[in-house]
Amino acid sequence: MPRDPLIGLVGKPSSGKSTMLNSLTDASSKVGNYPFTTIDPQRAVGYLQVDCACKRFGKEALCKPNYGSCANGARSVPIELLDVAGLVPGAHEGRGLGNKFLDDLRHADALVHVVDASGTTDAEGKETRGYDPSQDIVWLRGEIVRWVSGNLMQKWGSIKRRHIALKANAVDTLQGQFSGYGSTSNVVARCLDKLSLKEPLEHWSNETIELVVNQFVDEKFPTICALNKIDHADADKNIAKIAKNVPPDTIVLTSAIAEVFLRKLAKQGFIRYQEGSEFVDTREDLIADGDPDGGGLKEMDDKLKARIENLRDMVLYRFGSTGVVQVLIRAGELLGLTPVFPIRNIHSLASNAATTGGNKDALFRDCVLVPRNTTVAQAARKCMGDVPIAYIEGVGGVRVGEDELVGVGKNDVLSFKVGRV
């Protein structure tokens, strides 16, 4: 059965990676069990916000997820995170926890690189001023490229001889070398298609091999740069420099510590705050809006009020949010993750009776994430395992072909009819 997507968090010491991980996993939607088991202490459960199908059908009030939560059509779906430790320059040579860092890295489908945008920590995470954080982005990718390239070049002579002897194609030969990084033949094929190489593998120059390795790293390790500590005085100039050299759709501006602070106050009953929002309501705000009870929130002292106002001005109003929720949204977009809603009755949109806890009115109980270009048959296997499927129905009771693709708003609400054809 296809495995669940895994997003790796990387970052040098003191970049805010641990705070980012805490903010991603400490969501208010974190209730009950999860649809997968997380035993490894380096793994955690975060929440990816997606548009729920309930809003499309006007059924928000009846949407009762088994896992995560749904608020007015904004659904928080559990997703596995991996804390990748040991990031220091020279990791590909085994420096620091280099070997473990790279071994952990290969399990991830996408990376979130937490970068200290303030420039107050050097390459090894030691306190300083005026450091250029754009260098962190350069050397992280460099470490991965040198790791893959070094392993490949070490055996290139033998690889070529075997390739010629077997009369193999380039995809099969490279997949034999890249499978250890968690690659697939599809990933390798996309790399070669994008490069449009004309010469056969046995005639590749060192420069061509480097091109292939760089393209493979881009395909296998798509990376979101979470530029953290955006409220620091020196962050603006560093962000501007990074933005000139990094694709804008891979950059998210974040303040992980602000997110942790806001969620803590919300849990303690001092503020009303929804993860990913630019708005924070205090007791005084709600009273001014006409609620004499202030939403039942606690009164804050002057010091706490000042911190909230400062956070509003420096982060929320200026950047639109703390950016933490957007990190996983952007990572999901990079991977092309699509939410699929398996239901029992395609007409009533009801879920399996065994999962509703006796509440027959509960809708859209389940949601699974599948990668781009997933077929209906593959989605069925992800949702149902090896159970034989007689046929599959989509919205309106229309039968859906197994080879049709799943997409947002298309073949994403499905009813799998168990049985043999």
Side-chain angles (χ1 to χ4, degrees):
M1 189 164 65
R3 68 175 179 83
D4 293 296
L6 180 64
I7 296 178
L9 263 69
V10 299
K12 68 186 182 186
S14 301
S15 64
K17 178 168 70 76
S18 295
T19 306
M20 179 69 70
L21 185 64
N22 289 337
S23 66
L24 289 170
T25 57
D26 187 32
S28 61
S29 57
K30 187 177 179 181
V31 291
N33 297 318
Y34 309 109
F36 41 77
T37 301
T38 297
I39 299 175
D40 190 330
Q42 284 184 275
R43 297 202 180 196
V45 178
Y47 292 87
L48 172 64
Q49 277 195 12
V50 301
D51 292 331
C52 186
C54 68
K55 190 168 187 177
R56 200 185 314 159
F57 294 94
K59 303 290 187 181
E60 296 95 326
L62 296 175
C63 186
K64 308 292 182 185
N66 276 320
Y67 310 105
S69 67
C70 186
N72 300 317
R75 186 156 182 152
S76 295
V77 182
I79 188 169
E80 272 199 285
L81 306 177
L82 175 66
D83 183 6
V84 183
L87 175 58
V88 293
H92 72 286
E93 299 172 336
R95 190 160 176 257
L97 298 176
N99 292 330
K100 179 169 176 50
F101 164 71
L102 295 171
D103 185 62
D104 288 343
L105 200 70
R106 66 188 176 87
H107 297 290
D109 298 297
L111 302 178
V112 172
H113 184 190
V114 183
V115 179
D116 179 1
S118 71
T120 55
T121 50
D122 65 16
E124 297 188 352
K126 297 175 182 176
E127 189 174 343
T128 187
R129 287 298 299 268
Y131 176 77
D132 180 4
S134 66
Q135 294 303 308
D136 293 347
I137 298 172
V138 172
W139 63 251
L140 169 66
R141 191 177 184 285
E143 290 292 335
I144 300 173
V145 168
R146 287 191 289 273
W147 171 45
V148 176
S149 180
N151 290 338
L152 192 64
M153 294 305 294
Q154 191 175 16
K155 301 176 288 185
W156 188 248
S158 300
I159 293 169
K160 280 198 302 183
R161 287 190 291 272
R162 186 175 186 277
H163 175 77
I164 294 170
L166 295 178
K167 297 181 180 179
N169 61 56
V171 170
D172 290 341
T173 295
L174 289 177
Q175 173 56 16
Q177 302 306 311
F178 290 160
S179 60
Y181 306 107
S183 179
T184 65
S185 295
N186 288 337
V187 170
V188 176
R190 285 201 303 271
C191 293
L192 298 182
D193 286 345
K194 289 182 178 180
L195 291 172
S196 300
L197 298 176
K198 304 297 183 185
E199 56 187 344
L201 180 145
E202 61 268 26
H203 296 315
W204 285 359
S205 64
N206 289 347
E207 290 75 17
T208 299
I209 296 170
E210 285 300 310
L211 282 175
V212 171
V213 169
N214 274 276
Q215 188 62 51
F216 171 72
V217 169
D218 288 342
E219 288 288 331
K220 177 58 187 72
F221 303 105
T223 303
I224 292 296
C225 293
L227 306 187
N228 199 31
K229 306 182 185 180
I230 53 176
D231 51 335
H232 191 277
D234 294 338
D236 284 357
K237 64 179 182 181
N238 293 326
I239 291 170
K241 182 173 183 179
I242 291 170
K244 292 178 181 178
N245 301 301
V246 177
D249 60 342
T250 65
I251 293 176
V252 181
L253 306 183
T254 67
S255 176
I257 196 168
E259 183 71 20
V260 169
F261 175 66
L262 289 172
R263 291 185 183 182
K264 181 180 179 180
L265 289 186
K267 284 182 177 180
Q268 293 175 343
F270 287 105
I271 62 172
R272 183 180 292 172
Y273 173 66
Q274 176 66 40
E275 295 96 349
S277 171
E278 66 177 298
F279 301 111
V280 173
D281 290 323
T282 65
R283 177 179 173 82
E284 291 180 344
D285 294 330
L286 295 177
I287 290 174
D289 289 340
D291 182 352
D293 188 41
L297 296 177
K298 298 177 183 177
E299 183 67 44
M300 294 188 291
D301 60 29
D302 291 341
K303 184 177 180 181
L304 204 51
K305 290 177 183 177
R307 289 187 66 182
I308 289 292
E309 285 305 313
N310 184 62
L311 194 151
R312 280 170 166 164
D313 292 339
M314 297 296 293
V315 177
L316 298 180
Y317 295 162
R318 189 175 177 206
F319 297 104
S321 75
T322 65
V324 168
V325 169
Q326 286 70 25
V327 165
L328 289 187
I329 291 176
R330 199 68 61 84
E333 291 172 350
L334 265 190
L335 292 174
L337 295 181
T338 300
V340 174
F341 304 89
I343 57 178
R344 177 175 53 87
N345 189 315
I346 200 68
H347 301 288
S348 67
L349 306 176
S351 299
N352 190 313
T355 69
T356 60
N359 184 357
K360 294 182 180 180
D361 293 329
L363 307 182
F364 300 110
R365 297 286 281 175
D366 299 303
C367 177
V368 298
L369 299 170
V370 298
R372 62 168 63 92
N373 298 322
T374 293
T375 65
V376 169
Q378 291 169 329
R381 191 157 183 261
K382 177 71 181 286
C383 297
M384 305 294 289
D386 294 325
V387 175
I389 304 296
Y391 61 95
I392 303 168
E393 288 183 335
V395 174
V398 177
R399 290 202 181 189
V400 181
E402 292 187 347
D403 294 332
E404 293 188 46
L405 295 180
V406 169
V408 176
K410 180 183 179 183
N411 300 330
D412 60 346
V413 177
L414 298 169
S415 179
F416 304 106
K417 303 304 179 182
V418 176
R420 298 190 182 278
V421 179

